[in-house]
Amino acid sequence: MKYLVIVVSLFFTSVMFSQENTKQDVKIGVVLSGGGAKGLAHIGALKVIDSLGIRVDYIAGTSMGAIIGSLYASGYTGKEIDSIFKDVNFDKIINDDLPRAAKTFYERDNSEKYAVTLPFEHFNLKLPTALSKGQNTLSLLSKLTLHVSDVEDFSKLPIPFFCIATNVETGQAVILDKGNLPQAITASGAFPSLFQPVIIDGQLLIDGGVVNNYPIDELRAKGMDLIIGVDVQDDLASRDDLKSALDILLQINNYRTINDMKQKAKKTDIYIKPDISNFTVVSFSDGREIIDNGEAAALKEMDALKHVASMQTQKKTKHITIKSVDSIKINAIYVEGNKKYTDAYVLGKLKFKQNVKLQYNSYVEGVNNLAATNNFESVVHKLQPSSNNEGYDMYLTLKESSITTFFKFAVHYDDLYKTAALVNLTKKQLLIKNDVLSFDFIFGDNIRYNFEYYIDQGFYWSVGLKSSYNQFKKVIPATALLTDDELQTLNVNKLDVELKDLTNQFYLQTLFTKDMSLSLGAEHKRLKITTETVLTGNNDKKTIFENSDYLSLFGKLKYDSYDNKYFPNQGFYFDGDFHLYLYSSDFNNNFNEFSIAKATIGYAYSFSDKLTANITTQGGFNIGENDNPYLNFALGGYGNDFINNFESFYGYDFISLSGNSFVKGVLTLDYEIFKKNHINIAANYSNIADNIFDDGEWFTSPDYSGYAIGYAMETFVGPIELKYTYSPETKESIWFFNLGFWF
């Protein structure tokens, strides 16, 4: 009997203890809403949850909540996620601003010339599906989650996870809990019109916030006992705050989600609502304040959170530090989705091969190189650990662009060409898969055009045809065109000159590296220079200085690693050009075979995030007995992309200094006072005259100098610049103004 009492007592004690244990240990789920930049508040809340030792058993999120939640689920702490986002350039992420180094020379010209690009299909202009393809977002998330790249079932992550996207075609919510984690997160955050839709398992997916911005019911269904929720949704705005079309569209989209939240907030056991009233979905520059507000909101729920922590008997597993990835080994590359473009073409653009070890940055650059061709609507890349080898297998899923015709637009003003508006027609795959035809028509004060047909063979010899027509009128010093005898006879200081230039080229081009090209070709040039200032006869309407056709052979070597064409922070630049003039129709009967060689060398260096120095040197000279002055070097003015041998020079107006040889040096200091706004100062020095390299005059103290101070602003149409320049030789100051990309 005694033993029976003992057994019964032990049984009831065990049962009671077990019940108590079960009661105390609870499963905690965390749900994070979408909200764009406001979602950074999730980081602050997670930092508080971590500080209390709360074990999160499942996490779910939508849009930015999916991004933050996935990183937490993959093993990062709230503090580590905070550090990650400190270094993220959200402008580059949102704008899909691929690094300049990723683009071919041709694609660089496109991105630095046109303000607007619109697809053209079936004789109709179309709007792009979105401002960004999400390429930079995918690459960043792929790197951050590389340590779990072998996990395809998100419930097997260090913390089980799922996110919500919206099927555009059905309007239904889609739970993403398997597959490619970075791609799933990108789909959940694909805000309509900002990021293009993502295709997963044949479904066209966009931002999950459209239909379910707070998936608490789906999380509860995973067996969670208690839910901690962080809500960063906007409340409905008043009429005073509805000041734009975007504000109204967001308000319309918020009707349903806000009403839903009234019910979902009641279902949340610990409801955290950060103060995000002063921020928008794109307030990434205020990230630090938003994170702090998220932490402050979580601290208000400290007592409830502590109680949750006390209810858990099973503690969090020990945190393992996630090492930053510097290099990876690629064992195999698998490509799918390419029909028009061969595997060889794809691998050639990646610029790395199988069975190689490379820096992770080089891996990302390779993917960017492929995306920068603009031949693909999407470039989805994934790394998975190799089954039989150390390293990874790379899987590329491509969706080729179905649109091959584009209209592009730009506007410009400068002090030489004056007003200009550009309309471009670009046609890819006109005759073969890897060709492109481009035609610029420029109208305004001076009608111009640029035509190019290019067959891109990458590192093999590519073939190109170019034709361009330029014209402008400008008052220039008479010394640039008249001899000493003519100056004395005519007694004029200035000439109102009209220049017309038609240039046609056939060339071959090859790449040594992605930043270095060699071009060899033949050129026809028709040059006509006239003036109405001086008339040689009673019946003449114009005096013609030059009206000749030229034939020449040329070679061009170019290296360009500048990170920005107009405001470089780092990089090296070299542009060498050699022309051998073999024939002229010889309007002035003074032609002899001659050559012109010139080169530009530039180097940019950043002292800090704000201050950059750019040093540029230039030089050129004629070879041979050339009595023709009309292709001589001419210095003066400010600008880019000048024709022939015109070069800018602060302190002097356009084409103020001339000669058949010159040297020039420029030092520019640029300070970015705030984002995309620059103050710069510059000094330039030069010697220019005939044959300065024959007598050593090029090495003497400079004969000409000029200085400049200016303000510049980067805009979507290109730089807007205002410069004040001064030369101590002339004691005169000149203002220069430029608007838009140069073309």
Side-chain angles (χ1 to χ4, degrees):
M1 185 67 181
K2 179 174 71 173
Y3 293 106
L4 180 60
V5 172
I6 293 172
V7 170
V8 172
S9 299
L10 288 172
F11 173 77
F12 279 106
T13 302
S14 174
V15 170
M16 296 275 300
F17 181 80
S18 176
Q19 288 177 341
E20 186 178 3
N21 243 7
T22 303
K23 183 180 178 181
Q24 288 182 345
D25 192 28
V26 294
K27 291 184 178 180
I28 304 299
V30 172
V31 58
L32 307 176
S33 79
K38 296 173 293 183
L40 295 175
H42 297 318
I43 300 172
L46 291 174
K47 288 166 68 177
V48 174
I49 290 172
D50 283 343
S51 70
L52 298 173
I54 295 174
R55 187 193 75 247
V56 177
D57 297 290
Y58 226 116
I59 189 164
T62 298
S63 196
M64 181 59 83
I67 294 174
I68 304 297
S70 68
L71 296 179
Y72 194 74
S74 66
Y76 293 98
T77 65
K79 188 176 181 180
E80 288 171 338
I81 299 173
D82 192 347
S83 298
I84 289 170
F85 279 88
K86 282 181 182 177
D87 300 326
V88 173
N89 187 327
F90 286 99
D91 275 348
K92 288 186 177 181
I93 296 293
I94 294 173
N95 296 324
D96 231 6
D97 185 15
L98 296 176
R100 189 171 186 260
K103 303 171 184 175
T104 64
F105 283 106
Y106 181 85
E107 292 296 341
R108 289 177 192 181
D109 289 341
N110 274 267
S111 63
E112 297 161 347
K113 184 177 180 180
Y114 306 112
V116 177
T117 298
L118 297 177
F120 186 74
E121 191 176 26
H122 304 308
F123 298 98
N124 290 310
L125 282 175
K126 296 188 173 185
L127 292 175
T129 56
L131 296 176
S132 171
K133 295 180 180 180
Q135 195 64 49
N136 285 336
T137 304
L138 181 65
S139 292
L140 174 63
L141 294 172
S142 296
K143 181 179 183 180
L144 294 174
T145 59
L146 183 62
H147 62 288
V148 291
S149 60
D150 59 328
V151 180
E152 295 194 348
D153 183 349
F154 302 164
S155 68
K156 305 298 184 184
L157 290 168
I159 300 175
F161 167 80
F162 71 84
C163 60
I164 301 293
T166 303
N167 187 318
V168 177
E169 295 176 296
T170 65
Q172 299 299 309
V174 178
I175 296 177
L176 299 174
D177 56 6
K178 292 181 175 63
N180 182 345
L181 180 60
Q183 190 183 20
I185 308 163
T186 303
S188 181
F191 189 85
S193 75
L194 183 59
F195 294 105
Q196 75 175 20
V198 177
I199 298 176
I200 298 178
D201 296 332
Q203 301 179 98
L204 194 64
L205 305 179
I206 60 171
D207 195 317
V210 174
V211 292
N212 189 352
N213 203 38
Y214 192 80
I216 185 172
D217 294 329
E218 292 78 5
L219 182 59
R220 185 80 70 178
K222 297 293 184 180
M224 298 300 103
D225 299 311
L226 292 174
I227 303 290
I228 302 172
V230 187
D231 175 20
V232 294
Q233 282 190 160
D234 281 317
D235 294 323
L236 290 175
S238 66
R239 67 175 65 185
D240 294 334
D241 295 323
L242 298 173
K243 299 178 180 180
S244 69
L246 180 60
D247 293 334
I248 294 173
L249 287 172
L250 289 173
Q251 179 90 330
I252 294 171
N253 183 66
N254 285 342
Y255 288 153
R256 183 190 49 74
T257 56
I258 289 174
N259 287 329
D260 284 349
M261 275 306 304
K262 292 177 181 178
Q263 301 302 317
K264 290 182 176 181
K266 297 175 183 178
K267 299 177 182 180
T268 309
D269 299 289
I270 300 178
Y271 181 66
I272 300 172
K273 180 68 174 176
D275 180 8
I276 40 84
S277 57
N278 294 327
F279 310 106
T280 70
V281 293
V282 292
S283 297
F284 292 102
S285 59
D286 300 312
R288 182 75 267 148
E289 187 177 353
I290 296 173
I291 292 172
D292 290 343
N293 284 5
E295 188 171 355
L299 289 172
K300 291 180 180 179
E301 305 296 331
M302 178 64 78
D303 290 341
L305 291 170
K306 284 182 177 179
H307 181 65
V308 167
S310 70
M311 295 172 67
Q312 293 184 314
T313 59
Q314 298 179 25
K315 302 302 179 185
K316 292 176 65 176
T317 57
K318 187 177 180 181
H319 175 66
I320 300 175
T321 302
I322 302 168
K323 296 181 179 179
S324 178
V325 180
D326 295 322
S327 62
I328 55 173
K329 184 183 178 194
I330 304 293
N331 295 314
I333 302 174
Y334 301 97
V335 183
E336 65 177 34
N338 55 318
K339 298 177 182 178
K340 299 175 185 176
Y341 300 95
T342 63
D343 287 1
Y345 173 85
V346 173
L347 296 175
K349 292 299 179 183
L350 289 175
K351 296 184 175 64
F352 58 79
K353 301 179 180 178
Q354 302 177 117
N355 297 311
V356 297
K357 188 173 183 179
L358 70 162
Q359 295 294 310
Y360 192 87
N361 289 339
S362 298
Y363 167 78
V364 175
E365 286 174 6
V367 174
N368 287 341
N369 292 340
L370 189 60
T373 65
N374 288 323
N375 293 326
F376 305 95
E377 288 185 19
S378 67
V379 179
V380 179
H381 56 101
K382 181 181 180 181
L383 292 173
Q384 282 192 323
S386 302
S387 56
N388 301 318
N389 241 328
E390 180 184 354
Y392 298 87
D393 295 337
M394 179 183 184
Y395 294 85
L396 266 174
T397 304
L398 307 174
K399 184 183 180 185
E400 296 176 336
S401 177
S402 60
I403 299 176
T404 60
T405 307
F406 303 87
F407 271 105
K408 305 176 183 182
F409 307 90
V411 293
H412 183 79
Y413 176 87
D414 66 71
D415 294 290
L416 180 63
Y417 289 105
K418 305 300 182 182
T419 60
L422 181 154
V423 178
N424 168 273
L425 172 65
T426 295
K427 172 66 178 176
K428 294 185 175 183
Q429 302 172 29
L430 177 66
L431 302 176
I432 58 178
K433 292 180 179 178
N434 53 334
D435 71 353
V436 58
L437 180 146
S438 175
F439 180 77
D440 294 337
F441 179 72
I442 304 163
F443 55 95
D445 288 312
N446 295 281
I447 302 295
R448 295 173 283 156
Y449 80 76
N450 298 301
F451 168 87
E452 183 171 13
Y453 177 75
Y454 186 65
I455 302 174
D456 186 3
Q457 303 282 10
F459 287 90
Y460 300 100
W461 285 101
S462 302
V463 181
L465 291 170
K466 282 186 179 180
S467 180
S468 63
Y469 176 75
N470 273 270
Q471 65 172 342
F472 61 80
K473 292 183 178 180
K474 184 67 181 177
V475 177
I476 66 172
T479 52
L481 295 175
L482 300 179
T483 65
D484 291 340
D485 291 339
E486 289 171 333
L487 288 170
Q488 292 182 358
T489 303
L490 299 172
N491 195 28
V492 293
N493 294 322
K494 301 282 187 178
L495 295 174
D496 190 357
V497 169
E498 181 179 18
L499 181 146
K500 297 180 179 180
D501 181 291
L502 172 66
T503 300
N504 303 299
Q505 292 181 341
F506 169 81
Y507 65 95
L508 302 174
Q509 185 181 86
T510 187
L511 301 178
F512 296 117
T513 69
K514 63 181 180 346
D515 295 321
M516 188 174 185
S517 68
L518 172 66
S519 302
L520 302 173
E523 178 183 278
H524 161 259
K525 180 183 288 292
R526 178 168 184 80
L527 184 62
K528 185 175 184 179
I529 303 174
T530 62
T531 184
E532 295 179 353
T533 305
V534 178
L535 302 179
T536 57
N538 292 331
N539 296 323
D540 292 338
K541 295 181 179 180
K542 295 181 179 180
T543 293
I544 302 174
F545 290 108
E546 172 66 308
N547 190 20
S548 301
D549 291 277
Y550 295 88
L551 296 179
S552 64
L553 301 176
F554 69 88
K556 189 178 183 70
L557 182 65
K558 187 173 184 178
Y559 180 88
D560 183 2
S561 65
Y562 277 168
D563 60 342
N564 187 294
K565 177 180 178 178
Y566 298 101
F567 305 97
N569 293 305
Q570 60 183 6
F572 181 79
Y573 181 88
F574 176 83
D575 188 1
D577 184 281
F578 181 84
H579 270 69
L580 172 60
Y581 290 89
L582 301 171
Y583 169 81
S584 173
S585 58
D586 203 10
F587 175 78
N588 292 296
N589 297 315
N590 60 356
F591 176 79
N592 295 299
E593 286 187 11
F594 69 99
S595 302
I596 297 178
K598 61 181 181 180
T600 300
I601 301 174
Y603 176 71
Y605 177 80
S606 291
F607 297 100
S608 68
D609 293 339
K610 298 287 188 180
L611 181 62
T612 300
N614 189 10
I615 301 173
T616 304
T617 60
Q618 292 179 282
F621 53 90
N622 281 11
I623 304 172
E625 298 296 326
N626 176 31
D627 295 325
N628 185 334
Y630 305 113
L631 289 172
N632 277 354
F633 301 100
L635 304 185
Y638 170 71
N640 290 278
D641 301 329
F642 290 146
I643 63 171
N644 298 336
N645 296 309
F646 300 149
E647 302 291 346
S648 63
F649 195 76
Y650 298 125
Y652 290 81
D653 203 356
F654 296 93
I655 320 177
S656 292
L657 309 172
S658 61
N660 67 14
S661 54
F662 85 105
V663 291
K664 170 188 156 186
V666 186
L667 171 63
T668 302
L669 294 176
D670 184 279
Y671 186 80
E672 191 172 12
I673 52 176
F674 50 93
K675 192 173 181 179
K676 296 188 177 184
N677 287 261
H678 304 256
I679 295 291
N680 44 63
I681 58 174
N684 56 197
Y685 306 92
S686 178
N687 282 329
I688 181 169
D690 289 342
N691 307 315
I692 65 172
F693 291 93
D694 293 345
D695 54 16
E697 186 180 345
W698 68 277
F699 201 64
T700 64
S701 59
D703 295 327
Y704 305 100
S705 62
Y707 305 90
I709 182 171
Y711 167 79
M713 178 170 62
E714 299 177 70
T715 72
F716 81 97
V717 298
I720 300 175
E721 300 177 275
L722 180 65
K723 289 185 181 292
Y724 168 81
T725 71
Y726 175 80
S727 172
E729 293 86 43
T730 63
K731 311 294 185 186
E732 294 181 356
S733 57
I734 302 175
W735 287 88
F736 294 107
F737 176 72
N738 162 66
L739 182 151
F741 296 119
W742 288 88
F743 50 78

